[in-house]
Amino acid sequence: MSRSAFWLATACGLVIAGIVHIATVLAIPRFSEGGAFTRARASETLDHPLRIHGLAGAPAANGEWLPNPDPAVSVGVCSYDLDDGPMRVSAQAGSLMLSVSMHSRRGAFYAVTDQAAVRGGLDLVVMTRAQFDEALANDVAGEVTRDVRIVAPARRGFAVVRVIAALPSERAVADAAVQAVSCTIDSPAEPTGEEPGKGKSQGQN
């Protein structure tokens, strides 16, 4: 093999290796986030966070798949699909610090702690731009809402709830605080189809 052919083959090998390396690096976040999305979707049928990392000794319901869980933080996730309607995350401020972060495939796009709670309650509503505009149009003039409305960059995503246990004796309390968070779909009130004065009797649902 001539010297020029050798250098040409070497250069081609380096270019191919560089392309493969760059493609691998760029693909890693997408594959890892895809795995997180797949695992988080197990929480779509729940009305509370799916426990990912607990502190009180019980195993996590779906495996500890979030990277590097903090040994002092209890973690749960709520997955959502906004095609079903806006997702409401409701939490009560307690003695332990609580935070909620919203994630899409591109990463976190919103985060808040219980320091933003109004009258001890934190109500976050994740919605599409169209759902946000509809909510604004339906607002009653002069009526104050404590909802924090968040426009999501994509219709699918998940919320991560974290509660910090500063002391070992607070671990069970932290786990309970994560499970106490409510994750529900906000649906518009449906008409009952009943005529005025012919409402349902007490005890009927």
Side-chain angles (χ1 to χ4, degrees):
M1 179 184 292
S2 65
R3 184 182 296 272
S4 59
F6 171 77
W7 287 115
L8 178 61
T10 301
C12 290
L14 291 175
V15 170
I16 293 174
I19 293 174
V20 171
H21 175 72
I22 292 173
T24 302
V25 170
L26 293 177
I28 285 174
R30 182 169 184 84
F31 282 123
S32 62
E33 289 174 2
F37 264 67
T38 300
R39 292 174 182 266
R41 289 190 67 183
S43 67
E44 285 187 357
T45 59
L46 305 177
D47 58 3
H48 59 273
L50 176 70
R51 182 161 50 83
I52 299 303
H53 180 59
L55 303 180
N62 201 33
E64 294 181 357
W65 49 266
L66 287 180
N68 300 321
D70 191 313
V73 179
S74 183
V75 184
V77 299
C78 295
S79 182
Y80 62 82
D81 185 341
L82 299 180
D83 283 349
D84 299 329
M87 184 187 73
R88 177 180 294 273
V89 180
S90 299
Q92 293 296 315
S95 58
L96 305 183
M97 180 178 175
L98 177 146
S99 70
V100 180
S101 56
M102 303 297 177
H103 298 255
S104 69
R105 288 190 181 276
R106 294 179 177 272
F109 61 89
Y110 187 87
V112 69
T113 72
D114 56 2
Q115 295 298 308
V118 177
R119 298 192 187 97
L122 187 64
D123 283 283
L124 309 178
V125 184
V126 188
M127 51 183 59
T128 64
R129 171 58 64 178
Q131 290 165 348
F132 177 81
D133 292 341
E134 182 180 0
L136 285 181
N138 292 333
D139 282 346
V140 178
E143 184 175 301
V144 179
T145 176
R146 71 177 189 178
D147 292 349
V148 178
R149 293 169 178 168
I150 306 160
V151 176
R155 65 185 180 85
R156 283 186 174 176
F158 58 88
V160 179
V161 180
R162 295 180 173 88
V163 177
I164 299 175
L167 301 171
S169 60
E170 297 174 338
R171 291 175 179 173
V173 178
D175 286 348
V178 170
Q179 293 298 293
V181 173
S182 172
C183 302
T184 56
I185 298 298
D186 261 7
S187 299
E190 298 181 357
T192 62
E194 297 169 351
E195 298 178 11
K198 295 185 179 180
K200 295 181 180 180
S201 62
Q202 295 293 331
Q204 288 185 325
N205 294 321

